[in-house]
Amino acid sequence: MKERETPPTPTLLAIFFCLFATVLCNSTPREVFRLYRAVPHSTTGLRALHDLQKNDHLFNVDFWKEPRAIEDTADVMVPESVWGLVEEYLQNSNCTYRVSVPDVEKLILYNEGSKRTRPGFGKRLNDDPILDSEPDDDWTNVGKLKKAKYPFGDYAPYADMMKYMRTIEFYYPGFTKIVRIGTSHEGKPIEGLKIGFPIENTSKRAVWIDGNIHAREWASSHTALYIINQLVSGYGKDDNTTFYVNNLNFYIVPCLNPDGYEYTRSSPQPLVR
Ligand SMILES: *[C@@H]1O[C@H](CO)[C@@H](O)[C@H](O)[C@H]1NC(C)=O
Ligand SMILES: *[C@@H]1O[C@H](CO)[C@@H](O)[C@H](O)[C@H]1NC(C)=O
Ligand SMILES: *[C@@H]1O[C@H](CO)[C@@H](O)[C@H](O)[C@H]1NC(C)=O
């Protein structure tokens, strides 16, 4: 059964035609993409944001996060050619907004270029028991690492994710184990971590978590890695975590699409999918 589609609101259609005119007249060599954070304050606003999302292809906007309720935030990436129109649309539909990233491409380049050279970056999580060590760029060294380390403040290479999981397996063999579910098109191993005590027990209920099946949804990999971190570092310390790890088998594959992750990570063009 097909869900009944609501037609775009007149305002949205109107801005689409303005947009058409704008795009025909301006051709900028490098278009700047801004990330807007918008908050709907009424059902009108929420509906307007959902309409914009349904028609994202018409405007070339990209929702990084959709709003789930009134007063919830939406993050939407907007190309320069439609800044004015989108701002007007948000104002007219009772949403407040601010620009949270003025130039997405610059931010990507900044994160790529100065990884590990910025002092204090990613230090926030360093009071964590399994993150407290220096990163090691040579990942043939896994067995010699003191502790697993993943730069959670950053979008690190796929190899770092694997190194992180393998290091955890090395230090916590009693309740963690690498599982390999296949190989990507370009030949990268697709690996995850099984977490459960005792690790040999296969008859417990399973919890499956995966991330990053869509190339550019980087945050999902890091959410999955963070769950790994919480389960491993909380085991034996936090009663609930210990209970879950004893009674369930977690299978966590942070990045199902390593080719897409690496491809989009290495391209500063925000629209690459
Ligand atoms: C806009 O939101 C406010 C609440 O923040 C509400 O009082 C007002 O009626 C809304 N206006 C429209 C046009 O929906
Ligand atoms: C553990 O779970 C219970 C509910 O089952 C909850 O009330 C409690 O706050 C949790 N404790 C921690 C430390 O998360
Ligand atoms: C595995 O764990 C489940 C749940 O804790 C338990 O009921 C079962 O007996 C265990 N099986 C083995 C082989 O240890």
Side-chain angles (χ1 to χ4, degrees):
M1 196 169 67
K2 191 175 182 303
E3 195 185 320
R4 199 163 57 90
E5 298 253 319
T6 46
T9 51
T11 350
L12 197 62
L13 281 179
I15 73 164
F16 177 61
F17 290 117
C18 300
L19 160 73
F20 212 67
T22 325
V23 169
L24 289 180
C25 306
N26 295 336
S27 67
T28 39
R30 173 176 96 86
E31 192 158 41
V32 177
F33 292 82
R34 275 182 185 165
L35 190 68
Y36 282 82
R37 170 155 286 190
V39 182
H41 299 295
S42 59
T43 45
T44 319
L46 192 59
R47 167 95 204 281
L49 284 168
H50 285 154
D51 277 347
L52 185 60
Q53 185 175 18
K54 270 189 218 146
N55 294 283
D56 56 0
H57 54 287
L58 299 180
F59 301 94
N60 221 3
V61 300
D62 187 21
F63 274 75
W64 290 15
K65 177 183 175 297
E66 63 178 296
R68 278 157 310 188
I70 294 168
E71 304 302 330
D72 188 21
T73 53
D75 286 327
V76 53
M77 185 174 74
V78 181
E80 195 168 358
S81 56
V82 292
W83 289 347
L85 294 168
V86 167
E87 287 179 11
E88 200 179 327
Y89 180 69
L90 292 174
Q91 281 156 15
N92 291 340
S93 49
N94 214 2
C95 299
T96 50
Y97 62 85
R98 64 184 174 81
V99 175
S100 54
V101 179
D103 186 339
V104 173
E105 182 172 336
K106 263 211 187 117
L107 181 72
I108 296 174
L109 290 173
Y110 176 73
N111 281 342
E112 274 303 290
S114 47
K115 217 182 295 161
R116 291 183 187 152
T117 56
R118 257 167 298 145
F121 195 75
K123 283 284 187 300
R124 197 159 34 96
L125 288 166
N126 276 18
D127 53 355
D128 185 295
I130 63 169
L131 296 177
D132 252 339
S133 67
E134 284 308 299
D136 181 351
D137 286 317
D138 174 8
W139 67 289
T140 56
N141 252 346
V142 176
K144 300 194 191 99
L145 288 179
K146 274 271 158 42
K147 288 164 181 171
K149 161 93 180 171
Y150 187 80
F152 279 97
D154 221 332
Y155 292 112
Y158 181 62
D160 282 8
M161 292 188 201
M162 293 203 302
K163 181 169 77 172
Y164 175 68
M165 292 191 291
R166 289 175 182 185
T167 310
I168 288 178
E169 182 197 43
F170 183 85
Y171 283 100
Y172 304 88
F175 64 105
T176 67
K177 186 175 176 13
I178 292 285
V179 287
R180 183 180 288 199
I181 62 170
T183 329
S184 71
H185 181 71
E186 290 177 4
K188 296 185 188 72
I190 303 174
E191 291 187 350
L193 210 53
K194 173 185 173 186
I195 302 177
F197 181 84
I199 195 66
E200 307 80 28
N201 188 328
T202 49
S203 55
K204 296 191 278 182
R205 284 194 295 163
V207 178
W208 175 269
I209 297 173
D210 62 50
N212 221 158
I213 190 163
H214 294 156
R216 226 194 22 219
E217 291 168 6
W218 302 344
S220 60
S221 293
H222 296 76
T223 309
L225 289 165
Y226 190 68
I227 294 171
I228 291 176
N229 176 60
Q230 295 302 91
L231 289 173
V232 175
S233 62
Y235 186 66
K237 300 193 185 75
D238 173 70
D239 288 346
N240 290 0
T241 307
T242 307
F243 178 83
Y244 294 140
V245 173
N246 284 340
N247 290 280
L248 298 167
N249 280 333
F250 292 86
Y251 293 87
I252 307 180
V253 183
C255 186
L256 278 183
N257 182 0
D259 299 344
Y261 176 74
E262 285 299 337
Y263 186 78
T264 53
R265 222 175 56 82
S266 58
S267 165
Q269 170 52 256
L271 278 186
V272 164
R273 282 163 202 265

